[in-house]
Amino acid sequence: KEAFAQGLTEPASLHPIIDPVRCLGSGSCIKACPEQALGMIKGKAVLINPTYCIGHGACAAACPQDAITLVFGTEKRGMDIPQVDPTFETNVKGLFIAGELGGMGLIRKSASQGAQAMDSIAKLKGSANDYDVVIVGAGPAGLGAALGAIQHKLRYLIVEQEVSLGGAIFQYPRNKVAMTAPVKLPVIGEMHFKEVSKERLLEFWLDIIEKTSIQINYNERMENVTPTDNGFIVKTSKGEYTTRSVLLAIGRRGTPRKLGVPGEELPKVVYRLIDPEQYRNMHVIVVGGGDSAVEAAMAVATEPGTTVSLCARGDEFGAAFGGAKPKNRDKLKAMI
Ligand SMILES: Cc1cc2nc3c(=O)[nH]c(=O)nc-3n(C[C@H](O)[C@H](O)[C@H](O)COP(=O)(O)OP(=O)(O)OC[C@H]3O[C@@H](n4cnc5c(N)ncnc54)[C@H](O)[C@@H]3O)c2cc1C
Ligand code: SF4
């Protein structure tokens, strides 16, 4: 009821659908879910806190009745999954997709899909382009792909719009424990983790980058991919590259909308709140009038020694924060 009252009814990404006929109410999924996303209603498991769900699928694995299916779309918003064949090639020849964008929202699966896509790309005929493959995104899928590219001795380039590798993992809250399973990757062998902190996982990947000398072009955003007679031109925020093939490993979390103001490129400007604690004793400006901005501003403002200026368009409170939920607006009013 509380989740409904607050409008928190839509899971962000991959989430379970529970078949009420198969579900016998064993509660195994509820125990297995580390995010408290599931509960029991009238003897059946239900996704009671949809926005808590982060889609690692522990519930589906724990269900003795096979009553749980993991899906991306919801009735309300639907979900387009790109058309990808078993070699990860799309209906555009030479354009490949791996990881969460293609419908696979798990760390290990994304990484191995990236590597498998390189097995397919290695079979394509050579060309006179700058690269055999441009990999877009340095999350698990892009990193798995880079290892595959090394194994196949491909001429590759990775562009990543963020300042760090890791993709969604880089955005996890501090000390968040990710649940995964061992997976074999090219060049490095097994990624052996089952439960691992965000920090340890990022360290693991950084160590691989160092050992394998994988080059990642950070802070470089892919803007456009145009087919040519023998491949593609990939236009980025920093240049243009010709390539025989492209792997889109860009996940589903999108690209933040930028303000376009001087100084925006400085490392102290961020587009997601990962950990309010890191802003203790600082003055923080939050820009935006919707729920994300209001929630971020309130979370930072409750940290000791912090002051927050919240900037939103509109002459008065109602106009500036009309897009936020009533509950958030009330809380914000009380905090001003
Ligand atoms: C909070 C949270 C917790 C999770 N917990 C788990 C868990 O416990 N276990 C598990 O298995 N999975 C978990 N997941 C899911 C898992 O993190 C994702 O499925 C996985 O990261 C997908 O990998 P990916 O490489 O496909 O995409 P992403 O990790 O999203 O990486 C995509 C990368 O592409 C970059 N990019 C996007 N657009 C562009 C562009 N135009 N130009 C250049 N770069 C671009 C992005 O900056 C990003 O770095 C969790 C997800 C979240 C959000
Ligand atoms: S997918 Fe993960 S977070 Fe979502 S309900 Fe299942 S176990 Fe919980």
mmCIF file of all heavy atoms in Angstrom, residues 14-16 29 32-38 47 49-50 52-60 68 70 179, ligand 2:
data_model
loop_
_atom_site.group_PDB
_atom_site.id
_atom_site.type_symbol
_atom_site.label_atom_id
_atom_site.label_comp_id
_atom_site.label_asym_id
_atom_site.label_seq_id
_atom_site.Cartn_x
_atom_site.Cartn_y
_atom_site.Cartn_z
ATOM 1 N N LEU A 14 15.281 -5.111 -15.081
ATOM 2 C CA LEU A 14 14.896 -6.523 -15.004
ATOM 3 C C LEU A 14 14.222 -6.789 -13.654
ATOM 4 O O LEU A 14 14.703 -6.324 -12.625
ATOM 5 C CB LEU A 14 16.167 -7.366 -15.126
ATOM 6 C CG LEU A 14 16.006 -8.845 -15.433
ATOM 7 C CD1 LEU A 14 15.411 -9.040 -16.815
ATOM 8 C CD2 LEU A 14 17.341 -9.552 -15.345
ATOM 9 N N HIS A 15 13.114 -7.528 -13.660
ATOM 10 C CA HIS A 15 12.400 -7.792 -12.403
ATOM 11 C C HIS A 15 11.579 -9.073 -12.537
ATOM 12 O O HIS A 15 11.316 -9.535 -13.647
ATOM 13 C CB HIS A 15 11.495 -6.601 -12.052
ATOM 14 C CG HIS A 15 10.429 -6.366 -13.076
ATOM 15 N ND1 HIS A 15 10.673 -5.686 -14.248
ATOM 16 C CD2 HIS A 15 9.129 -6.745 -13.129
ATOM 17 C CE1 HIS A 15 9.566 -5.650 -14.973
ATOM 18 N NE2 HIS A 15 8.609 -6.291 -14.315
ATOM 19 N N PRO A 16 11.168 -9.646 -11.410
ATOM 20 C CA PRO A 16 10.444 -10.917 -11.498
ATOM 21 C C PRO A 16 8.955 -10.746 -11.759
ATOM 22 O O PRO A 16 8.335 -9.805 -11.273
ATOM 23 C CB PRO A 16 10.654 -11.515 -10.102
ATOM 24 C CG PRO A 16 10.816 -10.344 -9.215
ATOM 25 C CD PRO A 16 11.449 -9.249 -10.025
ATOM 26 N N CYS A 29 11.841 -17.242 -2.340
ATOM 27 C CA CYS A 29 12.267 -16.053 -3.084
ATOM 28 C C CYS A 29 12.387 -14.846 -2.154
ATOM 29 O O CYS A 29 13.287 -14.021 -2.300
ATOM 30 C CB CYS A 29 11.294 -15.761 -4.219
ATOM 31 S SG CYS A 29 9.596 -15.563 -3.663
ATOM 32 N N ALA A 32 15.509 -15.126 -0.370
ATOM 33 C CA ALA A 32 16.681 -14.983 -1.252
ATOM 34 C C ALA A 32 16.910 -13.540 -1.686
ATOM 35 O O ALA A 32 18.027 -13.160 -2.024
ATOM 36 C CB ALA A 32 16.499 -15.855 -2.492
ATOM 37 N N CYS A 33 15.848 -12.726 -1.675
ATOM 38 C CA CYS A 33 15.988 -11.356 -2.195
ATOM 39 C C CYS A 33 16.691 -10.458 -1.178
ATOM 40 O O CYS A 33 16.142 -10.174 -0.116
ATOM 41 C CB CYS A 33 14.620 -10.768 -2.538
ATOM 42 S SG CYS A 33 14.751 -9.031 -3.006
ATOM 43 N N PRO A 34 17.903 -9.999 -1.497
ATOM 44 C CA PRO A 34 18.626 -9.173 -0.527
ATOM 45 C C PRO A 34 18.107 -7.738 -0.459
ATOM 46 O O PRO A 34 18.550 -6.959 0.373
ATOM 47 C CB PRO A 34 20.066 -9.204 -1.043
ATOM 48 C CG PRO A 34 19.990 -9.615 -2.455
ATOM 49 C CD PRO A 34 18.658 -10.229 -2.723
ATOM 50 N N GLU A 35 17.181 -7.387 -1.351
ATOM 51 C CA GLU A 35 16.738 -5.990 -1.417
ATOM 52 C C GLU A 35 15.378 -5.767 -0.757
ATOM 53 O O GLU A 35 14.819 -4.678 -0.862
ATOM 54 C CB GLU A 35 16.661 -5.522 -2.883
ATOM 55 C CG GLU A 35 17.816 -5.939 -3.768
ATOM 56 C CD GLU A 35 19.146 -5.358 -3.320
ATOM 57 O OE1 GLU A 35 19.139 -4.292 -2.698
ATOM 58 O OE2 GLU A 35 20.186 -5.993 -3.579
ATOM 59 N N GLN A 36 14.820 -6.795 -0.136
ATOM 60 C CA GLN A 36 13.462 -6.714 0.459
ATOM 61 C C GLN A 36 12.423 -6.225 -0.557
ATOM 62 O O GLN A 36 11.544 -5.420 -0.250
ATOM 63 C CB GLN A 36 13.430 -5.787 1.687
ATOM 64 C CG GLN A 36 13.984 -6.410 2.953
ATOM 65 C CD GLN A 36 15.470 -6.238 3.048
ATOM 66 O OE1 GLN A 36 15.960 -5.140 2.877
ATOM 67 N NE2 GLN A 36 16.195 -7.316 3.300
ATOM 68 N N ALA A 37 12.547 -6.719 -1.785
ATOM 69 C CA ALA A 37 11.609 -6.296 -2.829
ATOM 70 C C ALA A 37 10.343 -7.153 -2.840
ATOM 71 O O ALA A 37 9.315 -6.730 -3.350
ATOM 72 C CB ALA A 37 12.291 -6.369 -4.196
ATOM 73 N N LEU A 38 10.434 -8.371 -2.279
ATOM 74 C CA LEU A 38 9.303 -9.301 -2.354
ATOM 75 C C LEU A 38 8.637 -9.481 -0.998
ATOM 76 O O LEU A 38 9.277 -9.343 0.042
ATOM 77 C CB LEU A 38 9.801 -10.669 -2.839
ATOM 78 C CG LEU A 38 10.325 -10.718 -4.276
ATOM 79 C CD1 LEU A 38 11.211 -11.926 -4.473
ATOM 80 C CD2 LEU A 38 9.185 -10.737 -5.267
ATOM 81 N N LEU A 47 5.790 -8.890 -5.778
ATOM 82 C CA LEU A 47 6.821 -7.845 -5.811
ATOM 83 C C LEU A 47 6.224 -6.615 -5.120
ATOM 84 O O LEU A 47 5.607 -5.764 -5.758
ATOM 85 C CB LEU A 47 7.190 -7.540 -7.274
ATOM 86 C CG LEU A 47 8.373 -6.611 -7.519
ATOM 87 C CD1 LEU A 47 9.666 -7.181 -6.962
ATOM 88 C CD2 LEU A 47 8.530 -6.339 -9.015
ATOM 89 N N ASN A 49 7.737 -4.187 -3.336
ATOM 90 C CA ASN A 49 8.500 -2.936 -3.446
ATOM 91 C C ASN A 49 9.207 -2.904 -4.796
ATOM 92 O O ASN A 49 10.425 -3.103 -4.888
ATOM 93 C CB ASN A 49 9.536 -2.841 -2.317
ATOM 94 C CG ASN A 49 8.890 -2.529 -0.994
ATOM 95 O OD1 ASN A 49 8.062 -1.635 -0.896
ATOM 96 N ND2 ASN A 49 9.246 -3.292 0.025
ATOM 97 N N PRO A 50 8.456 -2.658 -5.879
ATOM 98 C CA PRO A 50 9.051 -2.778 -7.224
ATOM 99 C C PRO A 50 10.297 -1.933 -7.416
ATOM 100 O O PRO A 50 11.226 -2.352 -8.097
ATOM 101 C CB PRO A 50 7.929 -2.309 -8.153
ATOM 102 C CG PRO A 50 6.680 -2.433 -7.365
ATOM 103 C CD PRO A 50 7.046 -2.248 -5.926
ATOM 104 N N TYR A 52 12.582 -1.271 -5.352
ATOM 105 C CA TYR A 52 13.773 -1.795 -4.670
ATOM 106 C C TYR A 52 14.478 -2.838 -5.543
ATOM 107 O O TYR A 52 15.625 -3.174 -5.326
ATOM 108 C CB TYR A 52 13.403 -2.501 -3.366
ATOM 109 C CG TYR A 52 12.897 -1.626 -2.242
ATOM 110 C CD1 TYR A 52 12.571 -0.295 -2.443
ATOM 111 C CD2 TYR A 52 12.744 -2.155 -0.968
ATOM 112 C CE1 TYR A 52 12.092 0.486 -1.400
ATOM 113 C CE2 TYR A 52 12.272 -1.380 0.079
ATOM 114 C CZ TYR A 52 11.942 -0.063 -0.140
ATOM 115 O OH TYR A 52 11.468 0.700 0.890
ATOM 116 N N CYS A 53 13.731 -3.407 -6.493
ATOM 117 C CA CYS A 53 14.257 -4.533 -7.274
ATOM 118 C C CYS A 53 15.345 -4.057 -8.221
ATOM 119 O O CYS A 53 15.162 -3.085 -8.955
ATOM 120 C CB CYS A 53 13.121 -5.179 -8.065
ATOM 121 S SG CYS A 53 13.696 -6.503 -9.123
ATOM 122 N N ILE A 54 16.501 -4.762 -8.196
ATOM 123 C CA ILE A 54 17.579 -4.361 -9.094
ATOM 124 C C ILE A 54 17.906 -5.452 -10.097
ATOM 125 O O ILE A 54 18.870 -5.359 -10.832
ATOM 126 C CB ILE A 54 18.837 -3.966 -8.307
ATOM 127 C CG1 ILE A 54 19.172 -5.064 -7.341
ATOM 128 C CG2 ILE A 54 18.638 -2.650 -7.618
ATOM 129 C CD1 ILE A 54 20.384 -4.776 -6.534
ATOM 130 N N GLY A 55 17.129 -6.501 -10.085
ATOM 131 C CA GLY A 55 17.165 -7.440 -11.202
ATOM 132 C C GLY A 55 18.287 -8.449 -11.219
ATOM 133 O O GLY A 55 18.630 -8.951 -12.280
ATOM 134 N N HIS A 56 18.872 -8.800 -10.043
ATOM 135 C CA HIS A 56 19.939 -9.804 -10.147
ATOM 136 C C HIS A 56 19.414 -11.225 -10.182
ATOM 137 O O HIS A 56 20.165 -12.157 -10.377
ATOM 138 C CB HIS A 56 21.012 -9.625 -9.084
ATOM 139 C CG HIS A 56 20.467 -9.284 -7.746
ATOM 140 N ND1 HIS A 56 19.460 -9.988 -7.177
ATOM 141 C CD2 HIS A 56 20.795 -8.295 -6.904
ATOM 142 C CE1 HIS A 56 19.193 -9.428 -6.007
ATOM 143 N NE2 HIS A 56 19.969 -8.404 -5.822
ATOM 144 N N GLY A 57 18.129 -11.408 -9.945
ATOM 145 C CA GLY A 57 17.505 -12.707 -10.212
ATOM 146 C C GLY A 57 17.689 -13.767 -9.143
ATOM 147 O O GLY A 57 17.427 -14.949 -9.392
ATOM 148 N N ALA A 58 18.125 -13.391 -7.931
ATOM 149 C CA ALA A 58 18.296 -14.390 -6.871
ATOM 150 C C ALA A 58 16.962 -15.073 -6.567
ATOM 151 O O ALA A 58 16.916 -16.255 -6.224
ATOM 152 C CB ALA A 58 18.841 -13.724 -5.614
ATOM 153 N N CYS A 59 15.868 -14.330 -6.707
ATOM 154 C CA CYS A 59 14.543 -14.885 -6.419
ATOM 155 C C CYS A 59 14.214 -16.023 -7.383
ATOM 156 O O CYS A 59 13.758 -17.093 -6.971
ATOM 157 C CB CYS A 59 13.490 -13.787 -6.521
ATOM 158 S SG CYS A 59 13.605 -12.844 -8.046
ATOM 159 N N ALA A 60 14.472 -15.792 -8.677
ATOM 160 C CA ALA A 60 14.139 -16.813 -9.681
ATOM 161 C C ALA A 60 14.950 -18.079 -9.428
ATOM 162 O O ALA A 60 14.434 -19.200 -9.514
ATOM 163 C CB ALA A 60 14.409 -16.271 -11.077
ATOM 164 N N ILE A 68 8.961 -18.157 -11.220
ATOM 165 C CA ILE A 68 9.404 -16.773 -11.454
ATOM 166 C C ILE A 68 10.096 -16.626 -12.807
ATOM 167 O O ILE A 68 10.991 -17.390 -13.150
ATOM 168 C CB ILE A 68 10.366 -16.325 -10.329
ATOM 169 C CG1 ILE A 68 9.606 -16.336 -8.997
ATOM 170 C CG2 ILE A 68 10.948 -14.949 -10.612
ATOM 171 C CD1 ILE A 68 10.392 -15.837 -7.818
ATOM 172 N N LEU A 70 12.056 -13.640 -15.172
ATOM 173 C CA LEU A 70 12.613 -12.284 -15.099
ATOM 174 C C LEU A 70 12.334 -11.566 -16.414
ATOM 175 O O LEU A 70 12.621 -12.098 -17.485
ATOM 176 C CB LEU A 70 14.118 -12.346 -14.833
ATOM 177 C CG LEU A 70 14.489 -12.926 -13.465
ATOM 178 C CD1 LEU A 70 15.980 -13.199 -13.383
ATOM 179 C CD2 LEU A 70 14.073 -12.013 -12.329
ATOM 180 N N MET A 179 25.521 -9.674 -6.419
ATOM 181 C CA MET A 179 25.449 -11.132 -6.438
ATOM 182 C C MET A 179 25.663 -11.583 -7.869
ATOM 183 O O MET A 179 24.996 -11.104 -8.778
ATOM 184 C CB MET A 179 24.084 -11.581 -5.948
ATOM 185 C CG MET A 179 23.853 -11.137 -4.530
ATOM 186 S SD MET A 179 22.217 -11.474 -3.978
ATOM 187 C CE MET A 179 22.115 -13.212 -4.199
HETATM 188 S S1 SF4 B 2 15.433 -9.787 -9.068
HETATM 189 FE FE1 SF4 B 2 16.788 -9.532 -7.242
HETATM 190 S S2 SF4 B 2 16.078 -7.625 -6.293
HETATM 191 FE FE2 SF4 B 2 14.483 -8.223 -7.751
HETATM 192 S S3 SF4 B 2 13.034 -9.378 -6.494
HETATM 193 FE FE3 SF4 B 2 14.431 -10.894 -7.399
HETATM 194 S S4 SF4 B 2 16.069 -11.169 -5.871
HETATM 195 FE FE4 SF4 B 2 14.941 -9.283 -5.302
#
